């Protein structure tokens, strides 16, 4: 299923180019769909994931739906990275490597979605979970 991530990204880019959307909006959509589809792949056991792009006078909505109801990670706060080692500083005792291995990645990509989307959200139902983002 990981092959679905680049395919979804490519299809979103093609559709938005055909609609004449500006390059920066196409790039933002590509990053958002990459994160949302990746989350769907990682956080569900189902193989059925759908990605839909909706265009309106107000902009574009990206929708990713999957049959699973697994929890969507919450966005990590920027402060969660405060203890990361500074780039260019060499570790002498291996502690920095251990620290990096220990950090959870869940929710970090949603910080990107939150920064790029005008708004985004999620809705769970018996049939599955929908995560959407507006540009």
């Amino acid at each position: 299923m990981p092959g679905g991530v680049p395919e979804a990204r490519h299809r979103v880019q093609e559709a938005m180019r055909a609609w004449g959307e500006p390059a920066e909006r196409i790039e933002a959509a590509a990053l958002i769909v990459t994160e949302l589809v990746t989350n769907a792949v990682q956080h569900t056991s189902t193989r059925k994931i759908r990605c839909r792009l909706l265009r309106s006078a107000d902009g574009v909505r990206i929708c990713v739906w999957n049959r699973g109801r697994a929890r969507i990670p919450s966005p990590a706060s920027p402060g969660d990275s405060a203890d990361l080692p500074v780039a260019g500083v060499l570790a002498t005792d291996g502690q920095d490597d251990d620290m990096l291995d220990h950090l959870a990645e869940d929710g970090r990509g949603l910080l990107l979605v939150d920064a790029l989307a005008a708004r985004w959200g999620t809705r769970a139902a018996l049939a599955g979970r929908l995560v959407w983002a507006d540009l």
Side-chain angles (χ1 to χ4, degrees), residues 45-130:
S45 59
T46 184
R47 293 184 52 86
K48 188 164 191 167
I49 297 170
R50 290 187 179 164
C51 180
R52 185 174 217 184
L53 199 59
L54 305 170
R55 186 176 186 214
S56 70
D58 296 329
V60 175
R61 174 169 281 187
I62 300 166
C63 302
V64 176
W65 178 85
N66 64 282
R67 282 200 187 272
R69 296 187 66 213
R71 153 189 101 70
I72 296 296
S74 300
S77 72
D80 289 347
S81 301
D83 293 328
L84 285 174
V86 177
V89 176
L90 297 175
T92 56
D93 58 4
Q95 288 180 341
D96 289 342
D97 291 338
D98 292 340
M99 188 183 336
L100 288 174
D101 290 341
H102 178 70
L103 289 173
E105 292 182 11
D106 282 358
R108 296 198 187 281
L110 291 177
L111 282 174
L112 178 67
V113 172
D114 193 55
L116 294 174
R119 60 190 186 133
W120 70 277
T122 181
R123 177 173 289 147
L126 291 176
R129 175 172 300 278
L130 171 72

